[in-house]
Amino acid sequence: MCFEKKFTQSGYKQFTLTATLERFSSLHFTSSSLRSPLVYSQLTIMAHSQKLALGIDLGTTSVKVVVVSTETKQIVSKQSKDTQANVPSDLGVEGNKQDVPKILSAVHSCVSRIPKDLLRQVVNIGICGQMHGVTFWKYSSEEDDKEHDGVFKLEISREKVSPLYTWQDSRCDPKFLASLPASKSHLTTHSGYGCATIFWFAKYKPEKLSKYNRCGTVQDLLVALLCGHSEVTISTQNAASWGYFLTTESRWEIDVLSQHEFPTHILPSKILQPGQAAGCLEQTWFGIPAGTPVGVALGDLQCSVYALLKDPTDAVLNISTSAQLAYVDPFFSPKQSGETAKIQHFPYFEGRYLAVAASLNGGNSLATFVRALQQWSMDLGFSIPQSKVWEKLIALGQEDTAISDLEIVPTLLGERHAPEHTASVSQITLDTLQLGQIFRALCSGVIKNLHNMMPQEVLQKAGIQQIVGNGSGLVRNLVLQKEVLRWYQLPLEIGQSGDAALGSALAVINHN
C-alpha cells in the first residue's frame, strides 16, 4: 500500500511523494495507522515548506527530541535515547552524578535520526531538562573546533567538564544544610540543589571547583554549546530550583552568598524569563540553519505541565523516576508566602507559579523492587527478563484480590522535607504475602506518600476538578492509575502528548 501525492503550487516545486509503510517507518512515523494525523501531518510537512520547532528534554534517564509544527502544535517526528549516564560516586549512595558527554552524545544521536527535510525547516529550538542539578565547565576563548568533516559535533572534552551532580545527590546532610546562611527566598534549599552542592564543594573539595569557571544545569550547558556563548544564561525556572534566588527580583542573593565564602563569580550571570531566546545556533546542525533562535533552558516539570495543561481546573501528575503533583496557583505571591515544607511554588510562565508536591520516590521505588525480584530469581537459579517481571506484577496487581491491609511506605530516598525517612512495611499477615498484594501495596504507598504531601483537600480548595497523568511510570502502570483514583477521588485522564520535550517546543512557539 502506498500514498501518492502530486501538486504544483506557487513557491513549491512540482513534487511526487510515494511512501510505503516501510518508508513511513524510516521517516520515524510513530503510528502504524495510515489514517493517523501524525502520518498525514508529516507527509504534508515533508511536501510543503512549513515552520517547525525542535524540542529537547534532558531527562534523568533519557533524552527526548521532538519536532513540532508551529501551526498545528502537533508532533511530526520524535526520537528518544536512554543516556545510561550514571557513574559511581566516591561518596557511595550519598552521591549521585552523571556523565555529561554521554548525555550530550544522546542528544546528538537523537537529532541525527530526525529526517533532514524536517530539520531544515526548524525556526526555533526549545530546551528543558532535569532541575536542581549542577555541572561545572571551563570556558576558554580558544575553544576546540567543533566541526568534524564539516559537521557540527555537539561535545565537550571530559577535561573541561565535571559530572552532573543531580537532584538525587544527598551529600548535603541535614547538619550541613543547617549550617548554610539563611535565605530570603520563599523556596527552601535542599540537598541536590545547585547552590547547596556548590557550598559543599567550596567547603570540602575547593580544588575541584578551581578547575572550572562556569556552571549551570546540564541544559544550560547545552544552550551554551549550541550558541557558542561564553556567558551562561539561565531561566528563572532553573535558577529558582537551585536555591538562593529571589524570584520577584530575578536575581541571586549575591549579598548573602558572598559573605559565606560562596564562589559567586561562577554563577550564571544572565537571567532570562521563560520563553525568551538565549541566543542563536552558532553553526548549522544536521540541517538546522545557523542563526536559528535557541530558547533559554527551562525546567522539565514546567514543560511537562505546559504540554498537558488545557484547563486551569486541571492538576498534572507526573510519575517517572520521581513523582510530582502540580497545579497553577494564580493567587500565589512570594511576598505573602504561606509556604509549607511539603508544597513549594516554582516559577511557571507569564509570572505565574506552580504549586508542587515533589516526591523523591516515584518510579524509582517500583524499579528498585523489580530489580530486587530479578536478583532474587537469579539467586535461586532462574533468569527472568525485567520486562516480564513488570508485565506479571502489573497483571497481578490489577486483580481485586490484590487489595489488602498491607501497607508499604516507599520512601527509600527519604523526602526533601524529611530526609531521615526510610522505607517500611507493616500490617503483614498470612493473608498479605501474595506477589500481587505486595505490588499493589507498593503502588498504593507511592500515591499515598504524594497524597500526604498534597492531600485531596488542597486540590479541592484550589478548584481542581481533574488530574491529568503523565510519565512512563504512570502511563504504563494501570495499578498506579487505580491507586490515583482511589486516593484522590478525581477523574484521571492519561495525557497523550505530555513529554517535556513537547512543552519546551510549545514554549518557544508561543513566546516568539
Side-chain angles (χ1 to χ4, degrees), residues 246-474:
L246 301 178
T247 59
T248 54
E249 302 174 33
S250 293
R251 69 174 180 86
W252 302 107
E253 292 185 83
I254 297 295
D255 51 341
V256 174
L257 296 172
S258 60
Q259 293 174 17
H260 291 82
E261 299 181 357
F262 185 99
T264 56
H265 67 279
I266 205 172
L267 286 172
S269 56
K270 189 173 183 180
I271 298 165
L272 299 178
Q273 295 300 314
Q276 285 188 282
C280 296
L281 189 63
E282 184 181 31
Q283 301 180 50
T284 299
W285 188 30
F286 290 114
I288 304 175
T292 299
V294 179
V296 64
L298 306 173
D300 55 357
L301 172 61
Q302 288 90 335
C303 286
S304 288
V305 173
Y306 197 71
L308 282 169
L309 207 61
K310 301 295 185 264
D311 193 289
T313 60
D314 289 347
V316 173
L317 171 61
N318 180 77
I319 301 179
S320 47
T321 304
S322 55
Q324 304 93 22
L325 182 60
Y327 64 88
V328 178
D329 188 342
F331 306 111
F332 177 79
S333 170
K335 295 181 179 180
Q336 301 173 339
S337 173
E339 204 79 341
T340 69
K342 297 180 180 180
I343 299 176
Q344 293 191 302
H345 288 76
F346 287 96
Y348 185 51
F349 293 92
E350 290 87 39
R352 297 176 294 169
Y353 286 81
L354 275 185
V356 182
S359 171
L360 298 176
N361 303 276
N364 47 11
S365 295
L366 303 181
T368 299
F369 177 62
V370 168
R371 287 195 298 270
L373 280 179
Q374 197 177 26
Q375 184 60 53
W376 294 343
S377 299
M378 291 178 65
D379 291 343
L380 292 171
F382 303 96
S383 179
I384 305 175
Q386 198 169 110
S387 59
K388 290 294 183 183
V389 179
W390 278 107
E391 182 182 326
K392 193 65 176 178
L393 286 174
I394 292 173
L396 291 172
Q398 290 182 66
E399 301 294 332
D400 291 339
T401 55
I403 300 173
S404 71
D405 294 329
L406 185 67
E407 292 187 6
I408 298 179
V409 178
T411 49
L412 289 166
L413 299 177
E415 291 294 359
R416 290 190 176 107
H417 62 274
E420 73 284 356
H421 280 192
T422 57
S424 62
V425 184
S426 60
Q427 305 290 5
I428 304 172
T429 68
L430 292 173
D431 299 325
T432 59
L433 294 175
Q434 297 298 316
L435 190 55
Q437 293 172 323
I438 296 171
F439 187 68
R440 183 67 173 254
L442 179 56
C443 290
S444 180
V446 169
I447 304 303
K448 182 182 179 181
N449 180 54
L450 206 56
H451 187 271
N452 289 340
M453 298 172 69
M454 185 179 281
Q456 177 187 3
E457 294 74 25
V458 171
L459 298 185
Q460 288 177 335
K461 186 177 179 180
I464 300 302
Q465 299 177 9
Q466 176 181 252
I467 294 175
V468 182
N470 186 49
S472 57
L474 181 63

Side-chain angles (χ1 to χ4, degrees), residues 22-54:
E22 289 77 17
R23 177 59 175 158
F24 289 173
S25 176
S26 71
L27 293 177
H28 307 286
F29 293 159
T30 60
S31 171
S32 60
S33 170
L34 298 185
R35 298 179 180 178
S36 165
L38 180 61
V39 171
Y40 279 115
S41 63
Q42 195 169 28
L43 283 172
T44 301
I45 288 172
M46 296 290 283
H48 296 74
S49 177
Q50 287 197 27
K51 293 181 178 180
L52 305 175
L54 183 75

